Amino acid sequence: MMPDADVPGHLSSIRLPLIAGNWKMHLTNEQAKAYLGRFLPALNELTRGQGGSTKRRTADVVLCPAFTALRTVIELTLDSPVRVGAQNVHQDPEGAFTGEVSVPMLVELGVSSVILGHSERRQHFSETDGALQRKVPAVLEAGLMPILCVGETEDEREAGETERKLRQQVQVDLAQVEDGLLPFVVIAYEPIWAIGTGKTATPEQAQEAIAFVRALVQGFDKEAGNQVRILYGGSCTPDNAGQFVALPDIDGSLVGGASLKAESFAAIVEAARG
Ligand code: PGA
């Protein structure tokens, strides 16, 4: 991802498709090296295949390894279009917070983005909307791209509570973002029932929820709502990723399981290029 000339750090104000791979607690340094040994040539092949074609778009590609593999992945992707993200960060710049990592620490490493509020962090590590309300501006103000995850459980969907849940998460988590930085937020709509289950949202469900999320951001600032990138996440594969990114409000994918195999993640990037 090339930063825009008028925009700080790694932020982008253009709705270029974005494909982010969330490795979760997988891949050691050695495994990450082996992965990149296959992924980078596959990506290169795609870019070359794109030469001269006016039809195909470029896409931003972000890999989000565990903290321990960040340095390795950053070093090995320096000469490539791949950017590297973390999977979480603390809201304070420093302090007595054993086991946590701060924004300045990530900036020093050369990280470009941070996944925030993933449902696994909300569910297993008690991540709250109150903390996210501080994390999102902290990340943006450092010039890093937040990928804020939102989404409903299966019970909430069945009870007709999807919009209420999305409204609560978007409105609280983005409440402290300055207007000028709002267009640079990336949101990932990830229905919790679709994460790691092999059960995706239908294109209609994804488009409807994502259009609703976009309208919520437009509620803060109309133009920012038009500019934010909103991704779909939840059991994305090379076979289904293209159908989501083709929809009017969907700007890419956040990919878990299928990002762990270099070849399938490269195929998802290819699908996003249309
Ligand atoms: P999945 O995970 O692609 O394995 O469903 C997505 C995510 O958790 O971000």
Side-chain angles (χ1 to χ4, degrees):
M1 177 178 68
M2 287 301 294
D4 299 0
D6 57 338
V7 165
H10 296 280
L11 304 178
S12 169
S13 60
I14 303 166
R15 274 178 64 188
L16 209 59
L18 167 64
I19 306 298
N22 175 10
W23 287 357
K24 309 191 179 182
M25 199 174 71
H26 295 284
L27 305 193
T28 63
N29 277 285
E30 286 309 313
Q31 290 168 330
K33 277 184 209 162
Y35 178 103
L36 292 172
R38 294 195 307 277
F39 181 65
L40 294 176
L43 198 63
N44 227 341
E45 218 22 60
L46 290 179
T47 319
R48 229 169 319 127
Q50 214 180 325
S53 163
T54 49
K55 202 172 136 264
R56 311 202 77 198
R57 295 167 295 197
T58 56
D60 286 339
V61 180
V62 178
L63 283 174
C64 303
F67 285 123
T68 47
L70 281 172
R71 184 182 288 281
T72 297
V73 177
I74 288 168
E75 284 174 1
L76 293 178
T77 54
L78 275 182
D79 294 330
S80 83
V82 175
R83 293 294 167 262
V84 181
Q87 299 173 16
N88 181 36
V89 76
H90 196 271
Q91 56 271 32
D92 285 323
E94 61 181 358
F97 300 109
T98 302
E100 291 291 314
V101 167
S102 72
V103 172
M105 291 170 185
L106 296 181
V107 170
E108 184 188 50
L109 269 180
V111 159
S112 75
S113 45
V114 188
I115 297 173
L116 293 175
H118 190 282
S119 64
E120 288 153 14
R121 293 215 56 81
R122 293 178 189 262
Q123 185 187 343
H124 304 304
F125 304 99
S126 308
E127 176 94 276
T128 62
D129 289 311
L132 290 163
Q133 191 176 81
R134 294 188 54 216
K135 291 186 183 198
V136 179
V139 164
L140 281 166
E141 284 159 21
L144 305 185
M145 178 174 81
I147 304 176
L148 172 69
C149 302
V150 297
E152 80 287 358
T153 63
E154 186 150 43
D155 285 352
E156 286 164 339
R157 175 161 284 269
E158 279 168 10
E161 293 278 296
T162 299
E163 294 196 348
R164 185 201 54 75
K165 178 74 172 291
L166 295 176
R167 182 181 303 109
Q168 144 91 16
Q169 292 182 323
V170 172
Q171 290 186 340
V172 176
D173 300 355
L174 298 185
Q176 297 299 328
V177 176
E178 287 172 35
D179 282 355
L181 289 174
L182 205 51
F184 309 116
V185 172
V186 174
I187 301 174
Y189 167 63
E190 298 204 306
I192 295 167
W193 45 272
I195 296 178
T197 57
K199 188 164 140 190
T200 55
T202 64
E204 295 72 26
Q205 287 170 326
Q207 166 58 30
E208 191 184 3
I210 287 178
F212 181 72
V213 169
R214 191 175 296 290
L216 291 170
V217 183
Q218 286 166 337
F220 282 106
D221 179 291
K222 179 106 176 99
E223 195 43 39
N226 296 337
Q227 286 181 49
V228 287
R229 288 189 283 187
I230 310 183
L231 316 180
Y232 168 76
S235 298
C236 274
T237 64
D239 292 336
N240 64 34
Q243 74 185 2
F244 292 112
V245 83
L247 294 167
D249 282 295
I250 304 185
D251 302 309
S253 319
L254 180 56
V255 187
S259 74
L260 291 171
K261 289 216 170 65
E263 294 71 19
S264 66
F265 192 51
I268 291 176
V269 173
E270 182 174 23
R273 286 174 159 160

